[in-house]
Amino acid sequence: MNEAGRFEVYDEHEGQGGHGGEDPYEKGERESGAANASRGADGMSSGNGDDRHPTPESGPDLPPRIPLPRASVEDTGRPLPDLRAQDLAAPAPPPSAPLVLEHRVLKALLGAWALAACSPEETAAVEEHLGDCGACADEARRLREAVGLLHPAESLDLDPSLRTRVLAGCLERRPPRIPVPEWATPYDAETARLDALLQDFGDAEWHAPVRLRWFEKDEPTSRRTTVAGVIAHLLTVDGLVAIALGLKDPMGDVAADRPTPSARTEAYWRASHYPPTRAVRAPWREQSHDLVRTVSFTGGGTGKLSVPYGDFELPLHDAMLDRAFECWVHAEDIAEAVDYPYEPPSGGDLHQMVDLAARMLPTVLSARRRVGLAAPSPGPHRHLVPAGEPGRSLRLEIEGSGGGEWLIPLDSPGAVGSADHEVAHIALDGGEFCRLAAGHVSPTEAAAGQVGDREAIRDVLFAAASLSRM
């Protein structure tokens, strides 16, 4: 009899309600039918209690039975299980046992630990051992210091000289049709670096407080503003060069009491109905591009064009160096305000800035002498010399990138510095000298090597500080 026939016999007995005298074969078939009925309740069969046409059982001679899809628990009306409670009730996995190593193995791992090359388990074992073993702790400290020498901390910013090197390499391959004059390249480089610093500033950075510092009448002076206020200051003072080149004045209809950098800046700040914001970056950036473009198109002959600063004048090539120097100094002020590293200019650009300051020192010394801020001349060992003649000189030695040596005439701005008439020698780091000229370092605190006439040394250091202005 086939499988279906056996099930029919079972169903017939069930329908008659017979309970006695059944043979073992029929009893086994009844139990098998009960099991099938139970599986039907779980969705394995038709689920309606009708077993007259059940799904055949799987067996060695039959194809595998494919179960029907189960019904979702959400369709049964039963409550959903609290999985979160089950997760909380589940026991936490047992913590891994700490790694136990011998002393000689831990000592051998110190080098890998210093290089951060150990596994987490080895690192934990080594660090626990260092708390108990003084000899290994000393060795670990020495190894960490050695790793610091092998891998010195580096700024994420690019090397300031990289731009100069890349441009030089490009220009060697293909010279520009309209080159930027050499005396304008520092301004081009420093405005580009500052613009890159400002690129990602948010509102908080633009309103970060900045204190501008300079020396006035041999006394430190400061003015409080914001990052946006510093860019507004650069915009208005760069405008002096723009006016000399025939470009528009960035101040527009705002009138200053005097055509000096500080008076123009104060007038611009007063005319603003609200503190300057990030909106000042666009006109400053556009003006800097216009200045570089204009001096490039007019050629190197415009370098001798005079740029008035109110109290004094500078030729255009010196004015562009002056603006590059101030752009770098104020970029450092901004970087300090937002706690960001900022590197000095490249060696070639820094040398040009130092050279400008050194060339201005004789004129500043003469002006200070006229108002009684420098030692009078003539004196016991001083005498005025005709223009172009050698006179008493101080040797200014600037060390480091962009350094060099300059002989500063002391008694007359028209005199020529002479090694034969050298009376004093000052040695300064390039960055230290520039910060002195910017008014960020006091002349009495400048880290300078000094030999010779103390009075001449003092006069030159204070003259360098008096080059600073807002």
Side-chain angles (χ1 to χ4, degrees), residues 119-421:
S119 67
E121 294 79 8
E122 292 172 338
T123 301
V126 170
E127 292 178 352
E128 182 179 359
H129 175 67
L130 295 180
D132 300 328
C133 181
C136 287
D138 292 339
E139 180 68 15
R141 178 179 55 80
R142 288 192 293 269
L143 289 173
R144 271 289 169 89
E145 291 174 353
V147 170
L149 295 176
L150 292 173
H151 302 279
E154 297 180 359
S155 172
L156 296 179
D157 290 339
L158 297 177
D159 182 356
S161 63
L162 178 62
R163 182 178 187 272
T164 303
R165 296 199 306 269
V166 172
L167 288 176
C170 295
L171 298 178
E172 286 178 359
R173 293 176 176 269
R174 185 176 179 180
R177 292 186 299 108
I178 304 173
V180 177
E182 183 179 358
W183 41 265
T185 54
Y187 177 80
D188 185 26
E190 292 309 308
T191 52
R193 288 210 301 148
L194 175 55
D195 187 52
L197 174 66
L198 301 173
Q199 181 175 350
D200 297 325
F201 275 18
D203 291 337
E205 286 84 4
W206 279 102
H207 295 290
V210 180
R211 185 169 294 278
L212 302 179
R213 295 168 290 167
W214 69 97
F215 265 72
E216 188 172 339
K217 296 181 181 179
D218 293 349
E219 294 293 334
T221 308
S222 64
R223 179 71 156 81
R224 185 181 176 88
T225 182
T226 63
V227 169
V230 174
I231 302 302
H233 167 59
L234 291 174
L235 172 71
T236 57
V237 184
D238 285 356
L240 293 172
V241 183
I243 295 172
L245 289 172
L247 302 175
K248 65 178 181 179
D249 187 351
M251 294 187 63
D253 297 332
V254 178
D257 299 336
R258 300 176 60 208
T260 61
S262 58
R264 286 172 59 87
T265 301
E266 294 287 356
Y268 188 90
W269 285 344
R270 287 195 303 268
S272 299
H273 299 292
Y274 48 84
T277 63
R278 67 166 70 232
V280 76
R281 179 194 173 204
W284 169 79
R285 187 172 187 264
E286 181 180 358
Q287 179 177 257
S288 65
H289 290 175
D290 289 342
L291 291 177
V292 175
R293 187 183 304 112
T294 302
V295 298
S296 301
F297 273 97
T298 55
T302 58
K304 296 182 180 179
L305 180 70
S306 179
V307 178
Y309 277 71
D311 297 332
F312 61 95
E313 294 184 357
L314 287 176
L316 179 60
H317 56 78
D318 285 348
M320 293 295 286
L321 285 174
D322 170 75
R323 303 313 308 142
F325 176 77
E326 187 165 356
C327 182
W328 163 46
V329 169
H330 289 323
E332 281 197 337
D333 292 335
I334 292 173
E336 181 181 353
V338 298
D339 195 19
Y340 196 84
Y342 202 80
E343 298 294 330
S346 63
D349 293 348
L350 185 61
H351 178 82
Q352 293 191 60
M353 298 177 194
V354 173
D355 179 71
L356 171 63
R359 289 188 284 110
M360 294 177 66
L361 283 176
T363 302
V364 175
L365 277 170
S366 178
R368 288 174 56 83
R369 189 176 294 117
R370 285 196 299 269
V371 297
L373 295 176
S377 181
H381 303 288
R382 309 180 184 93
H383 60 281
L384 293 176
V385 297
E389 294 294 327
R392 280 193 330 133
S393 304
L394 177 142
R395 183 180 298 275
L396 177 63
E397 180 182 356
I398 303 301
E399 302 170 341
S401 177
E405 289 189 0
W406 289 263
L407 287 168
I408 311 299
L410 299 174
D411 297 328
S412 174
V416 176
S418 170
D420 296 333
H421 296 78

